[in-house]
Amino acid sequence: MLFGLSSSVSLFFPSSAPNAAVETDKEVKMALVVDDINAYSFMYPLELPSKKFVFKWVESRKPERYSSAAPLSPDARQRIVSERVDIIDNLIISVSIGPPNLQFIKSKDKNTWNAKDVADSVLSDKSALRVTSAQRKAESQVLDTHSTNIDGEPYWYYEYLVRKSPTNSVQESNIFRHYIAATAERDGYFYSLNASTLGKKWDFMGPVLEKTVGSFRLLPPTNNYVPPYKDPWRFW
């Protein structure tokens, strides 16, 4: 199963984020999200005109400060600061923030970090199970990684699978979720955008999710920006 999915992986590259609220081409119509609290932006798909397909997004988590955000693991290091889902089409787009895991990120110079180490660092802090970092990382399989510099800052990109079910009674096509992600660093924290769908829907949804991940940018902070290290005790 894993080898079959791995063989279909193609390297994706970031696109420039537009300034307009909505971008339309013959393939996909996208809308811009700007989170002033955490100072980032990305584009998400609204419809595929050529295929007469409309997404059904619900904003399941509105943008919020790191201190009040939902934790992804019992140690609460990495937290979801915004999320939108399309339940009908089984799609999730989320942004999480968390400190680097020093087990994988050993240098203080982020320009020396490679994408695989960044991916392992982020994934090791994503599991909701009470397990070790190594066990959390083992739940997922990284398929592809690369990095690039945008406006002088490194962005790391990675593609991975996460096992949804440990049982043999579930159909293989429903066992794995297929993810792509982008991570950037600021103020000693990783900011990561993740987009995912079921493995069986990747051929159809993957190219669209790649556009979303490629559009992720950290923005110059405004007066509304709240750095993750500020008021860690505050929950509102």
Side-chain angles (χ1 to χ4, degrees):
M1 173 66 182
L2 290 181
F3 289 109
L5 283 168
S6 298
S7 64
S8 67
V9 173
S10 61
L11 197 65
F12 56 95
F13 294 90
S15 59
S16 58
N19 294 321
V22 176
E23 178 186 78
T24 305
D25 60 32
K26 65 179 182 179
E27 294 299 328
V28 59
K29 180 179 180 180
M30 304 185 78
L32 177 65
V33 172
V34 177
D35 178 356
D36 289 330
I37 298 173
N38 300 294
Y40 65 80
S41 69
F42 65 89
M43 304 287 287
Y44 69 96
L46 297 178
E47 61 179 291
L48 305 176
S50 63
K51 298 178 181 177
K52 298 181 179 180
F53 181 89
V54 178
F55 294 86
K56 302 91 178 173
W57 295 109
V58 175
E59 190 175 41
S60 52
R61 296 184 187 275
K62 295 183 180 296
E64 61 182 318
R65 57 192 297 150
Y66 175 78
S67 63
S68 63
L72 277 164
S73 60
D75 57 22
R77 284 167 45 85
Q78 189 172 173
R79 306 179 187 184
I80 302 174
V81 296
S82 72
E83 182 180 72
R84 61 189 61 233
V85 301
D86 179 338
I87 298 174
I88 302 300
D89 302 303
N90 217 313
L91 301 168
I92 302 173
I93 298 173
S94 65
V95 177
S96 63
I97 298 175
N101 187 324
L102 299 182
Q103 179 182 350
F104 305 101
I105 305 299
K106 302 182 183 299
S107 168
K108 293 184 179 181
D109 182 1
K110 63 183 176 183
N111 291 303
T112 67
W113 301 344
N114 66 61
K116 180 60 165 60
D117 288 341
V118 170
D120 287 342
S121 173
V122 173
L123 295 178
S124 69
D125 283 330
K126 282 193 66 172
S127 173
L129 301 177
R130 292 186 176 275
V131 294
T132 66
S133 293
Q135 288 172 315
R136 290 175 195 161
K137 189 168 72 72
E139 294 176 0
S140 56
Q141 182 196 21
V142 177
L143 303 177
D144 192 22
T145 66
H146 74 282
S147 63
T148 191
N149 271 50
I150 301 173
D151 297 328
E153 290 294 323
Y155 283 71
W156 301 276
Y157 300 88
Y158 41 103
E159 192 166 357
Y160 62 100
L161 302 176
V162 173
R163 176 178 286 274
K164 289 178 71 256
S165 172
T167 68
N168 293 324
S169 60
V170 179
Q171 292 182 354
E172 284 191 348
S173 60
N174 290 323
I175 290 178
F176 296 95
R177 286 195 71 84
H178 200 140
Y179 286 77
I180 51 175
T183 295
E185 186 273 344
R186 180 173 56 206
D187 293 330
Y189 285 78
F190 280 145
Y191 289 66
S192 302
L193 184 146
N194 282 266
S196 70
T197 187
L198 291 177
K200 66 178 181 179
K201 293 189 174 184
W202 179 255
D203 287 345
F204 181 74
M205 294 295 182
V208 182
L209 297 182
E210 288 174 0
K211 287 180 176 287
T212 291
V213 169
S215 72
F216 181 62
R217 298 290 185 274
L218 295 188
L219 301 176
T222 66
N223 291 335
N224 295 323
Y225 172 62
V226 181
Y229 55 78
K230 185 176 180 180
D231 301 334
W233 46 267
R234 183 174 171 178
F235 291 94
W236 66 92

